Amino acid sequence: MIRLSCPDVGEQELQAIATVFERAYLGMSKEVKAFEEELTDFLQMPTVCVNNGTGALQLALQACGIGRGDEVIVPSLTYVASFQAISATGANAVACDVDAHTGLMDLEDVKKRLTPRTKALMYVHYASQIGNRQQVLDFAQEKGLRLIEDAAHSFGHADLINAPADILCWSFDGLKNVTAGEGGGVSTNNQEVLSHIRDGRLLGVEGDSQKRFNQQRSWAFDVKHQGWRFHMSDVMAAIGRVQLRRFQELHQKRRAIVEAYFKAFRSMPWIGLFEEIASPKVSPYPFPVRVPSDQREAFQDFLKERGVETGRLYYPNHWLTFYKTPYELPQTDAIYAQLTAIPLNPKMTLEDAGRVIEVVGEFFKKL
Ligand SMILES: *Cc1c(COP(=O)(O)O)cnc(C)c1O
């Protein structure tokens, strides 16, 4: 089976974990500190590490003072993590529609969802695209809203390095562009937000991050707000540091596959492509395509029978009991019915990509 997603981890990552084991300090300490410094350098923006991408989003919202009674507008087409991070703060996740071609937040629909309780927009970089983010940033600024970006898919996008932004949230889970096994990060130039998250990830204990970075503990301290056990461990950071050093290598592997896909699929009229992914600026994850909705199931079965794994990213959140909307989101419904993700991971060879292309071609020849 050619896998949809798969991390590329090996000897170097194992060696890095061994070093942490030898130090016998597994919690949050020197490795996390170093990972934060290296991420800050890479992204050209101050970055703090947390337990996972969901925790990053939740802490970012809470650092903005968002909670009960507030509303956060988020596209329905995203992993349920985006929604859960919002509702975990006590705020309401207000689902909005997406653009029918990009799957990104539809600003015209956002305008319909605004109320006096709206405090923030969560912009999701679906399939590594950042499309209309500048427009969304301008809109948020104009309306006095916070902009928290779910950048779980877009780590390494060239236009996000040193970019104007309010808050960017990353995921380092097992499938993402850079993995730490599990992990997340928040990047922002806002010192207040950074400081709130540094304490918030360690039960709100003031200044505990700095102590732990020096392998010390806080025995007497103050807590001024609700906190969580959302810190990153040195074991995870050790993996993440190696992956970050390998970024170019992993990026090139993903790009080579994506370029082969674009070259082949451009001549297959049945396949809808997400055009931004063709840009060399994009570090792609995952690789969804659009197929005619009445063919999707047959397409997935056909590929599966021939050893090619596929997926549906993502089941719309406004269809879920917990996040059901009293209004329709027709563009989300329409695009979801066509979405099929095909394999893209740094362990794949170009022969694997060739096999995927061949099987996809065979399917569409029958139509
Ligand atoms: C992976 C992902 C997250 C959550 O990240 P975790 O590290 O798995 O908690 C959030 N949003 C999107 C779009 C994701 O793909």
Side-chain angles (χ1 to χ4, degrees):
M1 201 67 153
I2 302 176
R3 284 172 63 176
L4 191 57
S5 309
C6 175
D8 181 347
V9 285
E11 255 336 291
Q12 293 182 65
E13 285 82 357
L14 266 179
Q15 254 318 307
I17 296 172
T19 307
V20 174
F21 274 35
E22 280 156 27
R23 208 185 290 140
Y25 196 103
L26 306 184
M28 189 181 104
S29 188
K30 292 179 185 304
E31 285 299 316
V32 174
K33 180 172 189 268
F35 191 28
E36 288 186 350
E37 287 165 358
E38 288 156 8
L39 285 165
T40 297
D41 198 46
F42 181 93
L43 298 163
Q44 296 290 296
M45 206 184 296
T47 302
V48 291
C49 287
V50 295
N51 60 337
N52 56 42
T54 313
L57 292 167
Q58 184 189 326
L59 286 170
L61 291 159
Q62 287 173 318
C64 296
I66 290 164
R68 193 163 302 135
D70 296 331
E71 293 175 358
V72 179
I73 302 175
V74 56
S76 181
L77 189 74
T78 183
Y79 187 36
V80 67
S82 317
F83 276 69
Q84 286 281 10
I86 296 168
S87 50
T89 71
N92 285 331
V94 176
C96 74
D97 219 348
V98 296
D99 180 276
H101 295 285
T102 63
L104 296 169
M105 176 179 265
D106 175 4
L107 210 44
E108 288 314 304
D109 193 69
V110 167
K111 290 173 188 167
K112 294 185 207 157
R113 312 294 158 216
L114 286 174
T115 78
R117 293 177 298 281
T118 309
K119 290 284 152 50
L121 307 180
M122 186 179 283
Y123 186 67
V124 179
H125 299 178
Y126 178 72
S128 323
Q129 309 168 99
I130 60 170
N132 58 336
R133 84 177 279 277
Q134 191 54 52
Q135 244 178 307
V136 173
L137 198 60
D138 293 344
F139 178 80
Q141 230 151 38
E142 182 195 314
K143 299 284 176 192
L145 303 171
R146 300 306 298 251
L147 181 64
I148 288 111
E149 296 183 66
D150 180 341
H153 292 183
S154 58
F155 188 91
H157 194 305
D159 286 345
L160 291 176
I161 309 295
N162 194 20
D166 188 1
I167 306 178
L168 292 164
C169 296
W170 316 102
S171 163
F172 306 122
D173 85 21
L175 304 177
K176 303 291 161 62
N177 281 346
V178 159
T179 183
E182 291 287 352
V186 180
S187 299
T188 178
N189 287 303
N190 186 316
Q191 289 303 322
E192 209 180 312
V193 168
L194 289 168
S195 160
H196 198 281
I197 292 174
R198 283 194 187 104
D199 292 345
R201 67 180 163 181
L202 287 163
L203 299 171
V205 175
E206 280 192 342
D208 205 28
S209 284
Q210 206 46 52
K211 287 251 174 64
R212 285 172 190 257
F213 286 161
N214 298 322
Q215 292 189 359
Q216 293 166 354
R217 300 289 295 273
S218 303
W219 302 118
F221 50 82
D222 197 12
V223 169
K224 296 211 183 82
H225 56 79
Q226 175 67 53
W228 316 88
R229 287 286 282 178
F230 280 6
H231 60 283
M232 179 182 273
S233 93
D234 267 19
V235 180
M236 302 290 118
I239 300 170
R241 291 183 69 197
V242 175
Q243 287 266 302
L244 186 62
R245 272 202 297 278
R246 293 179 58 206
F247 176 79
Q248 271 310 324
E249 172 206 338
L250 299 170
H251 173 73
Q252 292 310 334
K253 284 181 172 176
R254 290 173 182 276
R255 287 249 39 106
I257 293 156
V258 159
E259 274 147 33
Y261 281 167
F262 268 91
K263 195 157 166 254
F265 296 152
R266 285 219 192 276
S267 60
M268 297 186 195
W270 298 100
I271 295 194
L273 297 163
F274 291 84
E275 285 300 329
E276 189 184 337
I277 305 176
S279 161
K281 288 180 173 182
V282 172
S283 203
Y285 165 90
F287 195 86
V289 297
R290 283 179 285 125
V291 301
S293 53
D294 60 350
Q295 293 293 325
R296 179 171 70 165
E297 189 143 355
F299 179 69
Q300 288 192 279
D301 290 344
F302 189 87
L303 266 62
K304 188 177 173 192
E305 282 158 21
R306 286 155 186 81
V308 178
E309 192 182 11
T310 61
R312 296 176 179 185
L313 303 165
Y314 291 98
Y315 194 76
N317 285 275
H318 74 282
W319 293 3
L320 306 174
T321 305
F322 197 44
Y323 298 114
K324 200 166 271 180
T325 51
Y327 46 85
E328 305 272 314
L329 298 175
Q331 287 163 185
T332 302
D333 295 354
I335 196 170
Y336 173 71
Q338 303 179 325
L339 285 177
T340 314
I342 61 172
L344 171 60
N345 67 68
K347 291 279 264 196
M348 278 172 74
T349 62
L350 280 175
E351 286 87 82
D352 291 334
R355 173 72 186 145
V356 175
I357 291 164
E358 184 188 0
V359 172
V360 170
E362 259 175 61
F363 179 81
F364 285 108
K365 223 178 292 156
K366 300 188 309 149
L367 290 189

